[in-house]
Amino acid sequence: MKMLPGVGVFGTGSSARVLVPLLRAEGFTVEALWGKTEEEAKQLAEEMNITFYTSRTDDVLLHQDVDLVCINIPPPLTRQISVKALGIGKNVVCEKAATSVDAFRMVTASRYYPQLMSLVGNVLRFLPAFVRMKQLIAERYVGAVMICDARVYSGSLLSPNYGWICDELMGGGGLHTMGTYIVDLLTHLTGQKAEKMLMGGGVCSTVTLNFNMPGAFVHEVMVVGSAGRLVARGADLYGQKNSATQEELLLRDSLAVGTGLPEQGPQDVPLLYLKGMVYMVQALRQSFQGQGDRRTWDHTPVSMAASFEDGLYMQSVVDAIKRSSRSGEWEAVEVLTEEPDANQNLCEALQRNNLSTWAELNSGESEGGPRRTPPPVLIYSSDWGGGAVPIAMAERAGTLHRAELPPVCEQFQQRLDLGASSAYLWS
């Protein structure tokens, strides 16, 4: 009897709590669970009746019965685990990375192992409303696409405790958390990519994200063309030709969810995304079903899924939006084609985060104000020394000599002459 691959789940949050019962409902066996602490892993494993749990990454990736890895963890950890999983020979479905550099490294790994599944879990792509919308756009239901408009209204994404979602550098914030998937969805639907915050072919896109709207979760995506428009409100699809007097219901999603799911997970995941997860897991089952080997898969059932290449693109667009916000000008979308020099990134980040701060702190010196003693600069790297360890600390100019520093870059040494405020950098 041909069996589905055993699954290793990374994460103990709301997504993982929903994903485990959905996988089991489609016939997958969850062989291993990873949590950032042993206690977290044990708690969810006992709740979900998962035999093997751990806080050690390799214990899951090297598990002999795990052939598919599902990664639902904070973005800063996604790249490390997904790249290692591909290198070991596991199929991977994961969330987006924290940065463009991380996304590029994931793309590089996926190119080394093209026979393995490497998907970014944008569940919106699997919803029947968007599958049908893409088909109708290709069939010229709206004519030539002119405008895309997306709106997402929700309550605050923040939790009472400080976490990664509060930190832009760790992939947090509404723009990265939900905006990336909207960007990816619009490109998937229209076949056009953003160039300078304007999509190719002259298509204009507007995305409104508001996370200060308590109440019902609102998710609406509209595509307007020369012959009509299509609107996905939640999981339902509506359309209207220019010649029609009113819009028509083209698809109503009647999928019932919630049966067999734990109470905590569905409450924290919007219904739209919950349905998307159901459809994604169903597609995964169809992809692996009937294969002669538990690691082989059929591309057709998951053809609508986002690849690691798509993950790099969506992150690149978000980066361009942030640059445009800082500069107040149009910024081109630049997709990495090679990994940037780590030292240059370090210097630019130090300059961006600290030079302006130091100038502000000492702006009163020329007017007789007191000169402020700069706080220490602490630099971290997850790749140097095998973990997040400090590689240099300078309290102020004169207390740490240049000879004691690693040869990072000339600009960093100049920073010691100017003083520095704190910086946390991850590569």
Side-chain angles (χ1 to χ4, degrees), residues 332-408:
V333 177
E334 301 173 351
V335 180
L336 292 178
T337 56
E338 60 182 8
E339 188 167 344
D341 180 73
N343 291 342
Q344 184 62 32
N345 287 343
L346 175 64
C347 299
E348 291 176 355
L350 283 170
Q351 290 173 328
R352 182 172 65 249
N353 293 336
N354 298 322
L355 283 176
S356 60
T357 303
W358 178 240
E360 292 171 3
L361 285 173
N362 291 279
S363 59
E365 184 182 7
S366 60
E367 302 174 2
R371 180 178 180 85
R372 312 213 180 182
T373 301
V377 55
L378 184 59
I379 305 170
Y380 284 100
S381 170
S382 60
D383 289 339
W384 290 333
V389 296
I391 61 166
M393 177 178 284
E395 293 184 352
R396 58 179 303 174
T399 61
L400 184 61
H401 300 291
R402 295 185 182 188
E404 299 176 39
L405 287 172
V408 180

Side-chain angles (χ1 to χ4, degrees), residues 93 103 105 112 136 192 210 215 231 251 269 289 330 346 367 369:
V93 179
R105 291 173 178 172
Y112 274 119
L136 290 172
Q192 303 289 341
N210 190 330
V231 186
L251 186 149
V269 180
Q289 198 170 41
W330 292 102
L346 175 64
E367 302 174 2

Side-chain angles (χ1 to χ4, degrees), residues 87-107:
I88 293 175
K90 310 294 185 180
N91 294 300
V92 176
V93 179
C94 66
E95 292 297 313
K96 51 196 169 294
T99 66
S100 291
V101 174
D102 279 359
F104 179 79
R105 291 173 178 172
M106 291 166 62
V107 168

Side-chain angles (χ1 to χ4, degrees), residues 158-421:
L158 303 180
S159 63
N161 300 320
Y162 183 87
W164 67 267
I165 202 168
C166 307
D167 194 329
E168 175 186 340
L169 295 178
M170 297 178 70
L175 179 60
H176 189 280
T177 304
M178 288 192 176
T180 48
Y181 284 158
I182 296 296
V183 168
D184 173 65
L185 178 65
L186 293 179
T187 292
H188 173 65
L189 292 173
T190 64
Q192 303 289 341
K193 289 191 173 183
E195 295 175 348
K196 285 188 177 181
M197 301 307 100
L198 184 73
M199 301 189 79
V203 179
C204 180
S205 290
T206 303
V207 178
T208 303
L209 305 173
N210 190 330
F211 301 108
N212 295 285
M213 297 281 288
F217 178 77
V218 176
H219 192 284
E220 181 177 293
V221 176
M222 180 179 356
V223 177
V224 181
S226 58
R229 64 186 174 93
L230 292 165
V231 186
R233 297 190 183 96
D236 301 328
L237 180 63
Y238 300 83
Q240 183 174 351
K241 291 281 192 178
N242 288 347
S243 57
T245 58
Q246 61 182 12
E247 68 180 18
E248 58 179 328
L249 175 65
L250 300 176
L251 186 149
R252 182 177 298 281
D253 193 322
S254 58
L255 176 69
V257 296
T259 304
L261 297 179
E263 293 183 1
Q264 183 176 345
Q267 290 178 353
D268 298 334
V269 180
L271 180 60
L272 183 74
Y273 285 83
L274 195 58
K275 288 185 174 184
M277 291 180 71
V278 173
Y279 290 118
M280 181 185 74
V281 174
Q282 290 176 350
L284 289 174
R285 188 254 304 159
Q286 295 168 8
S287 178
F288 286 105
Q289 198 170 41
Q291 299 297 311
D293 184 273
R294 294 196 305 175
R295 293 189 182 183
T296 58
W297 54 291
D298 181 4
H299 291 65
T300 303
V302 292
S303 60
M304 74 289 286
S307 65
F308 280 11
E309 301 267 2
D310 296 318
L312 174 59
Y313 161 74
M314 64 178 89
Q315 183 63 50
S316 301
V317 175
V318 168
D319 288 346
I321 293 172
K322 292 176 180 178
R323 291 198 306 271
S324 179
S325 178
R326 289 193 296 265
S327 68
E329 300 176 353
W330 292 102
E331 295 285 347
V333 177
E334 301 173 351
V335 180
L336 292 178
T337 56
E338 60 182 8
E339 188 167 344
D341 180 73
N343 291 342
Q344 184 62 32
N345 287 343
L346 175 64
C347 299
E348 291 176 355
L350 283 170
Q351 290 173 328
R352 182 172 65 249
N353 293 336
N354 298 322
L355 283 176
S356 60
T357 303
W358 178 240
E360 292 171 3
L361 285 173
N362 291 279
S363 59
E365 184 182 7
S366 60
E367 302 174 2
R371 180 178 180 85
R372 312 213 180 182
T373 301
V377 55
L378 184 59
I379 305 170
Y380 284 100
S381 170
S382 60
D383 289 339
W384 290 333
V389 296
I391 61 166
M393 177 178 284
E395 293 184 352
R396 58 179 303 174
T399 61
L400 184 61
H401 300 291
R402 295 185 182 188
E404 299 176 39
L405 287 172
V408 180
C409 61
E410 182 180 354
Q411 292 98 319
F412 174 71
Q413 294 179 346
Q414 292 172 353
R415 294 278 308 124
L416 293 179
D417 297 331
L418 295 172
S421 59

